[in-house]
Amino acid sequence: MALLSLSTGAIIGIAVGAVAVVAIIIYIVWRISTMNTLISLRNDMEEAFSTMDVHMKKRYDLIPNLVETCKGYASHERETLESVTRARNNCIAASSSNDRLAAERELESSLKVLMTRVSEAYPALKADTQFNNLTRQLEQCEHEIAQSRKYYNAKVKIVNNKIEKFPSSIVARKMRMERYAYFEVNDVSERNAPRVSFDDSPRIRL
């Protein structure tokens, strides 16, 4: 009876107010849900990077021994060996993800140059047991890095899509989330780099 005693304007006002309240509740629930989704996707991406980081650090540990072994046979490759060492140190010292990715590209490039020159000019080194053991471990590291890199890039794609697509992009901007960089080589020729073979030793792709 009370409702019937209300004017048409009052009823419309109550209805509009109720719709507004429901809309606000729906928006709040959606925003919280979207924020949680973005946080989860970012955490998944960071976890994928951490996995890749473990494999990259294993490679960092191998490089000093590889360089020292090469020095005994390839003393004329001082500049190349120093380049590899410098790139490794830059990777370790990198303070941000972008710096780390750039340093990793430099390291992969310098390692490729070193192994190519060694395979062409130092047959005695190729017969060294320590060198062969190191190259075998390096090959395994490269394989693990390549696999974890694919997984990381897949996670980056998912979170970037969520950040850039509407309407989740609205929440992403509020959270100050920006597009993340893929871990990939820039030079197309490096994508198709040939394998470096060592006759009787394992094959390595750098």
Side-chain angles (χ1 to χ4, degrees), residues 112-153:
K112 185 178 69 174
V113 171
L114 173 63
M115 303 309 285
T116 299
R117 291 184 178 180
V118 163
S119 68
E120 293 175 349
Y122 303 96
L125 176 58
K126 292 187 292 183
D128 184 271
T129 302
Q130 174 72 359
F131 177 76
N132 285 330
N133 182 48
L134 289 170
T135 55
R136 188 179 301 110
Q137 293 180 59
L138 184 60
E139 178 184 26
Q140 180 62 31
C141 283
E142 293 295 339
H143 174 73
E144 292 169 344
I145 291 170
Q147 294 303 312
S148 59
R149 177 184 299 167
K150 290 179 182 179
Y151 182 70
Y152 170 74
N153 284 339

Side-chain angles (χ1 to χ4, degrees), residues 19 25 31 36 44-45 49-50 54 57 85 97 102 104 118 126-127 134 168 174 185 203:
V19 170
I25 293 173
R31 180 166 179 172
N36 288 338
D44 287 346
M45 183 192 66
F49 187 90
S50 296
V54 170
K57 286 179 178 178
T85 301
S97 296
E104 276 291 329
V118 163
K126 292 187 292 183
L134 289 170
S168 56
K174 293 292 184 180
V185 294
R203 296 172 65 179

Side-chain angles (χ1 to χ4, degrees), residues 56-125:
M56 290 189 293
K57 286 179 178 178
K58 285 171 61 179
R59 181 172 61 180
Y60 302 158
D61 292 339
L62 289 173
I63 288 175
N65 290 333
L66 180 66
V67 169
E68 287 301 316
T69 302
C70 290
K71 280 182 180 180
Y73 295 88
S75 57
H76 294 90
E77 299 293 341
R78 178 179 177 181
E79 182 178 346
T80 304
L81 295 171
E82 288 179 348
S83 176
V84 172
T85 301
R86 182 171 58 252
R88 169 192 179 269
N89 293 339
N90 288 341
C91 288
I92 295 174
S95 58
S96 69
S97 296
N98 287 337
D99 289 344
R100 178 70 172 281
L101 297 181
E104 276 291 329
R105 295 186 187 109
E106 179 187 358
L107 177 58
E108 290 190 3
S109 178
S110 60
L111 276 172
K112 185 178 69 174
V113 171
L114 173 63
M115 303 309 285
T116 299
R117 291 184 178 180
V118 163
S119 68
E120 293 175 349
Y122 303 96
L125 176 58

Side-chain angles (χ1 to χ4, degrees), residues 6-45:
L6 294 175
S7 66
T8 302
I11 294 174
I12 292 175
I14 292 172
V16 170
V19 170
V21 170
V22 171
I24 291 172
I25 293 173
I26 291 174
Y27 172 77
I28 292 173
V29 171
W30 168 80
R31 180 166 179 172
I32 293 173
S33 175
T34 303
M35 287 177 61
N36 288 338
T37 299
L38 286 167
I39 291 170
S40 295
L41 292 176
R42 183 176 60 190
N43 289 342
D44 287 346
M45 183 192 66

